[in-house]
Amino acid sequence: MNIGVLNSGGDSPGLNAVIEGVVGAASRRGWNVVGFYDGFEGLLSEEGDERFEWLTPAACRGLRAKGGTILGTVNKGNFAIKVGVDQKGAIEPAVLEKTKATVRRLGLDALIVVGGDGSQSTALLLSEIGLPVVGVPKTIDNDLGATDVTFGFYSAVSIVSESLDRLETTANAHQRMMVVEVMGRHAGWIALEGGIAGSADVILLPEIPFSLENVVECIKARKAAGQREILVVVSEGARLADELVLLDEKTQGEVRLGGIGKVIAKKLEEATGIETRSCVLGHIQRGGSPCSYDRILGTRFGSYAVELVEKRQFSCMVALRGTQMTAVPIEEAVKTLKLVDPDCQLVRTARDLGVCFGD
Ligand code: F6P
């Protein structure tokens, strides 16, 4: 049996662990694994322009500790799904033809696709041309409804929490407010968990629209109680309760990584009179070595994906439910985004600890 593996979309700590899991589990079954470079682009290999590598357990040993991905990744490239007038998505026919040629040439029996919802939808289209696929979920934002956790998330949370620890000491020294922008376009999981771990005073999430007045009131109360430093964590997708008030007049309120934290810092500094600095953690959250949880989860996802290939359970995505691995039809898996429920126990715990969400 020959199985392919590729990762697609933004990287996430733990991708290499998935690859090591796939290669380990496949080789134990006597199967071969080919890794495609740069996402789906690797499928467009031609003789003389090979964009893949046969992977052995010896070559992958210890890979789980390394950040990034040995295979490289691309956001969309030639496999961008074009949506026609009938709203049905498709990949360019010429791209599909080249893919079929690669599948034939390498004698591929199945493909494991590690990616977010967009990549899983592309994977489904490939299964329609006769390439059976198994999906592995990947989003650092941890916002895929089908799985309790995605690898990379806890590495990002650790970075946020460690950054807050560091920022607290300098903020305390100068009696400043620090506004830290973190990743999370649609869901505020990184801000919520990183903020709780790092003792943030204020956490602003996309799911809990906030008012500047409420945040200012909380900050002033803490200052009046004698607190020297103020830590504010802002998810990149955070939004105001009054949608008519634009946070950033220049971008018409559009949320961009590396923008919203600075805007909020300026507004809070003006309203409180506290000297404020802002910082964007950005891709530091995605870089570097995965934490041990992500190494283990990535490895489990990879090895379970091979188990699904063995059971011929295709067009499914592996998922973690509780402590168990399970398979979810890709079609279902990509449908639901997992957002922070403003009344969930984690938010209530944070409120009990005194965190202000600005609502
Ligand atoms: O979706 C994951 C994510 O990390 C977002 O939180 C962030 O906005 C985006 O990716 C950054 O993407 P890129 O690497 O393309 O700048």
Side-chain angles (χ1 to χ4, degrees):
M1 172 97 90
N2 292 337
I3 58 177
V5 61
L6 62 82
N7 40 242
S8 165
D11 69 335
S12 193
L15 277 173
N16 281 326
V18 178
I19 296 167
E20 194 179 355
V22 167
V23 173
S27 91
R28 204 175 62 79
R29 289 162 172 80
W31 301 351
N32 305 309
V33 178
V34 59
F36 291 100
Y37 296 144
D38 302 321
F40 292 99
E41 300 298 296
L43 290 166
L44 303 179
S45 294
E46 282 174 311
E47 260 168 285
D49 175 27
E50 310 292 25
R51 297 160 84 180
F52 59 80
E53 174 186 347
W54 290 97
L55 299 168
T56 62
C60 294
R61 191 182 130 65
L63 214 52
R64 70 197 79 167
K66 300 207 166 59
T69 161
I70 55 158
L71 295 176
T73 187
V74 157
N75 270 344
K76 279 200 174 86
N78 285 293
F79 284 81
I81 297 176
K82 310 266 180 314
V83 179
V85 274
D86 59 354
Q87 292 300 305
K88 203 169 164 359
I91 300 168
E92 289 286 341
V95 172
L96 284 182
E97 279 316 306
K98 258 189 159 182
T99 303
K100 278 189 202 165
T102 306
V103 171
R104 268 196 307 271
R105 192 155 60 90
L106 299 179
L108 269 196
D109 298 295
L111 179 68
I112 294 173
V113 173
V114 192
D117 49 358
S119 310
Q120 299 304 339
S121 303
T122 305
L124 268 190
L125 293 177
L126 292 184
S127 72
E128 284 173 17
I129 62 159
L131 177 59
V133 292
V134 168
V136 173
K138 175 209 63 68
T139 149
I140 202 158
D141 296 346
N142 199 29
D143 57 0
L144 219 60
T147 181
D148 289 353
V149 191
T150 45
F151 61 84
F153 171 66
Y154 281 116
S155 299
V157 168
S158 307
I159 299 288
V160 174
S161 125
E162 191 197 320
S163 304
L164 286 170
D165 293 348
R166 289 175 185 277
L167 290 167
E168 190 270 337
T169 60
T170 168
N172 178 283
H174 289 267
Q175 300 202 53
R176 281 175 175 161
M177 170 155 49
M178 291 287 174
V179 178
V180 188
E181 181 184 315
V182 305
M183 283 184 170
R185 239 178 311 176
H186 308 292
W189 295 107
I190 295 179
L192 178 61
E193 298 210 13
I196 293 174
S199 305
D201 299 288
V202 178
I203 302 178
L204 304 178
L205 313 173
E207 297 91 337
I208 307 182
F210 67 97
S211 92
L212 279 170
E213 293 72 40
N214 292 344
V215 176
V216 168
E217 197 185 311
C218 151
I219 293 169
K220 282 186 174 164
R222 281 173 196 224
K223 278 310 241 187
Q227 196 173 308
R228 288 176 64 86
E229 75 290 331
I230 300 289
L231 297 178
V232 179
V233 177
V234 181
S235 195
E236 63 186 322
R239 61 201 168 92
L240 284 166
D242 183 351
E243 286 177 7
L244 294 176
V245 181
L246 296 180
L247 263 180
D248 186 349
E249 289 79 9
K250 263 191 277 163
T251 62
Q252 297 289 294
E254 184 199 339
V255 172
R256 295 172 310 173
L257 182 60
I260 191 169
K262 205 168 162 195
V263 175
I264 290 177
K266 191 162 168 272
K267 298 219 184 249
L268 291 180
E269 182 168 45
E270 281 164 7
T272 61
I274 302 168
E275 194 180 10
T276 303
R277 296 287 185 268
S278 68
C279 103
V280 181
L281 294 187
H283 293 79
I284 291 173
Q285 294 159 97
R286 287 205 336 223
S289 185
C291 66
S292 48
Y293 182 90
D294 290 335
R295 295 180 195 192
I296 295 167
L297 184 61
T299 314
R300 285 181 77 188
F301 274 176
S303 110
Y304 192 66
V306 172
E307 244 182 271
L308 293 185
V309 172
E310 187 172 42
K311 292 184 197 150
R312 307 202 60 74
Q313 212 172 325
F314 295 118
S315 301
C316 278
M317 192 189 80
V318 306
L320 179 74
R321 291 269 171 79
T323 57
Q324 297 303 310
M325 285 290 139
T326 182
V328 187
I330 292 180
E331 217 160 342
E332 293 305 311
V334 296
K335 273 188 196 152
T336 32
L337 215 58
K338 182 176 63 196
L339 300 177
V340 175
D341 173 356
D343 294 319
C344 72
Q345 205 267 329
L346 199 53
V347 171
R348 281 192 277 120
T349 300
R351 289 192 200 274
D352 281 344
L353 288 169
V355 172
C356 163
F357 289 92
D359 55 341

